[in-house]
Each structure stands twice: as structure tokens, then as C-alpha cells.
Amino acid sequence: MGAGNLATSLGVALAVAGMPPVAVWSRSREAAMELGKKTGSPSSCCFGELPPADVVIISVADNALESVAREVVEHYPKALVAHTAGSVDADVLRKAGAGEYGVFYPMQTFSKQRIADFSRITTFVEGSSESVVSRLEQIAAGIGSRSVRACSEQRKFLHIAAVFACNFTNAAYSMAAELLEAKGLPFEAMLPLLEETAEKVHHIHPFDAQTGPASRGDDTIMNAHMEMLDGRLKEIYALMSDYITSKRKDK
């Protein structure tokens, strides 16, 4: 259920693994058809046109999950229903009337333009029973993903951590691009630095990988940088530098 960023990668991964979805649904007929073509599955924007299913995976925007879940349970009252949201309780599915329900949360950033490799992704699973969890683990294994059991509270903290590690980091990339482009410099010059930064935390703790003027306590450079910035970028620079220096002092 859904044809967005995560649903696209998951649907394709299932198809490649020999487990193509029996159908793809989206409120947008065009989006459903687009993903259906990629997975070799029938598609529809109408629940009445969908075939029978034993497992239904809901991958829609968080604010649409509750309403879609109610429709799913009405149409598939005996199916195992799972959602893929990081910050939504599994209980939303119970409240919608699902008998067997769970969460299938692949922690990754997804885009339609770039199909994710699930062999490099950890999928966090939760279920209303041991049999549900086992079934979700089997689906994860089928697409090559490592699975880890996590309750709804744990998953919410995973999602917050992911926002810091991914979304905020990408926003920092955008800030860097803004600074460079204003001076006629290419953002591509940053790519080797970004790659090395990401590679280091495969081998050492992020705290130990931290470098830069705040890490060194170099007030002269930090003050010079602050003089070059204004507005939000100056505020963000000050907050981030303060965080880094305070963590060094705590250590």
C-alpha cells in the first residue's frame, strides 16, 4: 500500500527476490501504475479492484497511515498488516482493527530515483505475536536485509537518531553548497571529504572521529568563521560548535 520512495525500493526488492507484490495500491492511479510496472504487479487506486492477500505492507505518509490502515483492515480482515513508519506505534494497526499486525521499518533514506540495496540495510521489526515477528523476519531475509527486533519506543529513538544522522547532515550539505556557490566554488570539491567522514565512522566512534576548530578548541578560527557568517548560518555554526566543545569538556 503506497507507491512513494520507500514503497518503490521495497516493491522492487521483493520482485527481484522472487516475491513480487500481488498488487500495488496508491491513491494516485498514475503512481500505482508506475510502481506496478517496476514490480510486474497489477495496480489500482481502488480497494475494490485489489486481489486477495495474506500480508499487507502499508508504506504511506505518517499522517495518512491511520486512515489507510482502516481501509486495509476493512478489505483484508484476516491479513497480517504491517506498516513501515519509524515514529508511529504498531498499536495504530490494532486500533484500526487488525488481528495480526506489526512494523517493518527499513532504516534508510529512500528516493524513487535510486533503488536501495536491502543487503546493506537493517530492518527493524515488531509484531503482535511471535509468529508475526518471525514472518516479518522471513520477509526481511528474503530481500537480503538483516533484521533486528525493536519495540515502538526504541524505533522512535532510531528515527530521531536518523533525523540527526541523515536529514540534518543533508541540510548541512545544502548549507555548504550555498556558501561555496556564492563564491563561485563547486560543491563537488567537498565529496572526497564527505566520503572520508562517512567511512571513518565504520571503524571508529563518531566522537573519536570529530575534527575541526571546535574539536581543537581553536577560538581564533571559530571567531573568524563567525565574522564571515550571518543570519541562520551564524546561529547554526555557534550552536554546533558549542555542542562539540561541550562534549570535549565532558569527556
Side-chain angles (χ1 to χ4, degrees), residues 38-69:
K38 292 178 180 178
T39 62
S41 309
S43 61
S44 180
C45 62
C46 176
F47 275 85
E49 297 175 355
L50 298 174
D54 297 321
V55 178
V56 180
I57 299 177
I58 304 174
S59 184
V60 298
D62 290 0
N63 59 9
L65 208 165
E66 186 175 351
S67 62
V68 172

Side-chain angles (χ1 to χ4, degrees), residues 118-154:
F118 277 82
S119 69
R120 304 182 64 186
I121 297 172
T122 298
T123 298
F124 293 88
V125 298
E126 178 183 3
S128 57
S129 66
E130 180 62 30
S131 63
V132 169
V133 173
S134 295
R135 197 163 186 187
L136 295 176
E137 288 174 333
Q138 290 170 5
I139 294 172
I143 58 175
S145 177
R146 173 176 176 258
S147 61
V148 172
R149 299 184 182 194
C151 69
S152 290
E153 182 181 7
Q154 290 174 311

Side-chain angles (χ1 to χ4, degrees), residues 2-45:
N5 294 333
L6 193 162
T8 296
S9 278
L10 180 56
V12 170
L14 288 166
V16 169
M19 303 183 293
V22 297
V24 171
W25 171 90
S26 172
R27 293 204 189 279
S28 163
R29 184 176 293 276
E30 292 75 17
M33 289 177 63
E34 181 183 353
L35 181 52
K37 288 178 182 178
K38 292 178 180 178
T39 62
S41 309
S43 61
S44 180
C45 62

Side-chain angles (χ1 to χ4, degrees), residues 74-126:
E74 182 178 349
H75 192 74
Y76 294 108
K78 296 183 179 180
L80 188 169
V81 182
H83 73 66
T84 62
S87 286
V88 180
D89 285 349
D91 202 48
V92 69
L93 301 176
R94 180 191 64 78
K95 292 177 180 177
E100 291 190 309
Y101 58 91
V103 178
F104 189 90
Y105 172 51
M107 198 176 69
Q108 181 56 284
T109 175
F110 293 95
S111 300
K112 282 188 178 182
Q113 299 84 354
R114 183 178 172 88
I115 300 301
D117 178 2
F118 277 82
S119 69
R120 304 182 64 186
I121 297 172
T122 298
T123 298
F124 293 88
V125 298
E126 178 183 3

Side-chain angles (χ1 to χ4, degrees), residues 86 190 203:
M190 294 286 107
H203 309 286

